Amino acid sequence: MTLAVDPSSNPTDPFLPTEPEAPGHNEPAPGENQLADTSGTTPSIGLIVTLLGGVLLIAAAVAWFAFPTLDDGSNFYADTLSFIAAILLGAPLVIRAFKDIWAGKTRMNELAALSVVAAFVSNAYFTAGAIAFFMILSELIESRTALGARKTIESLLRLTPTKAVRIAEDGSESFVEAKDLNAGDVVRVRPGDNLPGDGVVRTGISSVNQANITGESLPVDKNEGDEVFGGTTNLTGVLDVQITKAGKDTTLGRVQDLVLHAEQTKTPTQRLADLYASWHTPVILMLAVLLFFFTKDITRVIALLVIAAPSSILLATPTALVAALSAAARLGLLVKNVADLERARKITAVVFDKTGTLTDGKLSVTRLGPVEGVEPGALLSSAVSVEQNSNHPAAKAVMAIAAKARVQPLDVDGFEEVGGKGVFGNVEGEQVLVGRKTWLNENGINTDNAEEEPEGMSLLYVARGGRVLGWIALSDEARPDAPQAVDDLKSQAVRQVVMVSGDRWSVANRVAAETHCTDVQAEVLPAEKLQVVDGLKAKGHTVAVVGDGVNDAPALAAGDLSIAMGAAGSDVAINSASVALMNNRLDRIPFLLQLSRATGRVIMQGIGFSIVYIAIFGGLAAAGYLPPIAAALLHTLSSIFVVFNSARLIREGEDIDTVEPERAVRETITPQPVMA
């Protein structure tokens, strides 16, 4: 697959190898984006013709010395070989240029084809063949070098196994196509095998390498009930996994779709390069006509047309973006639109949600505060009966402590969750509310007789039958890498780092101080987080919003750039943000800004170099100091330089530690309240 700026103008490249369909994968629908699998490729007819044309050119060069040249300067053998080579090599270029013109597009093919035709009609067959050969060689090298930048992306297509071992109800095993698996099927995954789909471990204990999904290098221990992802590698034990998602619905399938979609999008810089290309060709043609009018030297015109073909300009942006997408994907960052990658370098303010973002989201119950006359068990029983139907981290913490205390939840009717406030339902004929103190007060429940609130902890108040039963205190630790990530953001021209939370001020202030945030806003509802983002934008900031994608949807949608953390396995997180972070490593966020700036620099280097290169050598060609064959060689070298310069981006982020940092004592700073 050639990394052309406009793939639609060249859907099939006759000079590149053909890629056989990977066995076991679903047949792609017509028009569906595909990535070429370069492993096990077979030479195409176009590639064979190119090699044959190159051999004929070499033979023609030998013939000039091996056979006598006539008085008129002709050499039958050399001319014949050159003529055939020019036809074989030049015809595909001319055909593609004609297709571009017919489609109403002016790209780099037209100038190259015109130079070949001009040389051919001038009886300079060897020159025509050599120009065509170098142009084709340039495309091949560009393609193969750029495909190296796609290694991370292409490898995604080969992760999901084509076969799976399905376990029947009687325990018997059978081999089936992985694409034929359905939700509810149970598969057996042995050590060394890749998982055929997303699922939940039914039986077994093992370590699983999830690096291709989350970007983390260390294996993760999996036990019964744990979630696993398709395409990850089982390392040690045997796992029986109940499939929840298969095929393109898996996390890996979503990752593939996101990356493929990102490659087809365009940045403002890329659209500017396309606009430049649209008038570049007509201007060069006009200059060529003027040059021939004043000099009557077709050789100069041919050299100018060859050196001025804007392939290096058109390659500067897409090759850099593909390399950057590969570097980001390696660390678990999935960018849905390359315009978002370009926008990241302009970020001046970052808004973090607290729970599950700056903190690990693993709330744990640390204290129960029942009112006088209420047993702790009764408080916990009422709370867990309603919370059992919620997926909120606070609900999971309550369920966990209830399980340890062997408190069984009761049946609940009329369950409902009020975003950012709490949950309620009917238990044994009485309404039970669990949530914020202010929410209970809004519902006419007096909480004055509750025990004094502890500082620095999140509280869930519990009421039943119209009276308060007490509160449940929860704690949530800040992520160990949060302070350094925030400091790194500040070092990259991010002037404000704001933490927003629905929690109490005492809790929010503690976490914000530990994580070095400059500003904090507490006791806000999900919709009010939107006001914080709008307030920053009104002050002229370009705002990035970072959350878990669950209760942050309004704020994420309002940000100039939105990043959903922990997106692996979460359709909500993947769909809700412009960038999906498959792991929970906060150091990926400053890396994204750094990568964006590096990509912008590389693109500008490629475009600037190409324009200066064409101007200098185009002038030499017009002055008669650059023969056409040398111009073709220099054209090839310029394109190779641009591609290799872009390929440097693949190594971005290699210095980032992929091992989860250990918790340590952290320095704290005093954040300031921020108001929308």
Side-chain angles (χ1 to χ4, degrees), residues 297-316:
D297 188 347
I298 191 63
T299 302
R300 297 188 187 189
V301 173
I302 294 171
L304 175 62
L305 293 174
V306 172
I307 199 66
S311 56
S312 57
I313 297 175
L314 298 177
L315 284 167

Side-chain angles (χ1 to χ4, degrees), residues 316-402:
T317 301
T319 53
L321 292 173
V322 168
L325 289 174
S326 298
R330 187 182 65 247
L331 293 179
L333 275 166
L334 301 179
V335 183
K336 295 182 182 179
N337 191 313
V338 289
D340 295 319
L341 180 62
E342 184 170 285
R343 189 177 297 113
R345 64 176 177 265
K346 302 174 183 177
I347 297 297
T348 59
V350 179
V351 176
F352 283 101
D353 181 52
K354 178 182 76 69
T355 304
T357 306
L358 286 177
T359 64
D360 55 23
K362 297 177 181 177
L363 294 171
S364 59
V365 176
T366 57
R367 186 175 167 185
L368 297 178
V371 301
E372 186 177 352
V374 175
E375 293 293 327
L379 170 67
L380 190 56
S381 175
S382 296
V384 74
S385 297
V386 181
E387 293 282 25
Q388 65 179 320
N389 292 323
S390 173
N391 282 322
H392 194 277
K396 294 179 181 178
V398 172
M399 293 170 64
I401 193 65

Side-chain angles (χ1 to χ4, degrees), residues 235-282:
L235 298 179
T236 53
V238 177
L239 296 177
D240 283 358
V241 177
Q242 185 169 8
I243 297 297
T244 56
K245 296 177 182 177
K248 293 187 176 182
D249 294 329
T250 64
T251 299
L252 180 63
R254 299 296 307 280
V255 169
Q256 293 171 358
D257 290 342
L258 285 179
V259 176
L260 288 168
H261 172 74
E263 279 200 293
Q264 302 304 319
T265 59
K266 290 187 177 184
T267 68
T269 302
Q270 192 168 354
R271 287 191 288 268
L272 185 62
D274 288 349
L275 179 63
Y276 169 82
S278 67
W279 59 260
H280 175 91
T281 298

Side-chain angles (χ1 to χ4, degrees), residues 187-211:
V187 297
R188 181 158 294 161
V189 186
R190 293 181 167 83
D193 291 343
N194 283 7
L195 277 81
D198 289 1
V200 177
V201 177
R202 192 170 179 181
T203 61
I205 299 175
S206 184
S207 293
V208 176
N209 182 356
Q210 300 184 155

Side-chain angles (χ1 to χ4, degrees), residues 20 41 44 86 157 168 205 268 288 335 424 428 493 504 531 552 573 630 667 670:
T41 57
S44 66
L157 293 181
I205 299 175
V335 183
F424 67 89
E428 296 181 333
R504 297 184 304 151
Q531 298 175 11
D552 314 303
E667 174 192 3
T670 303

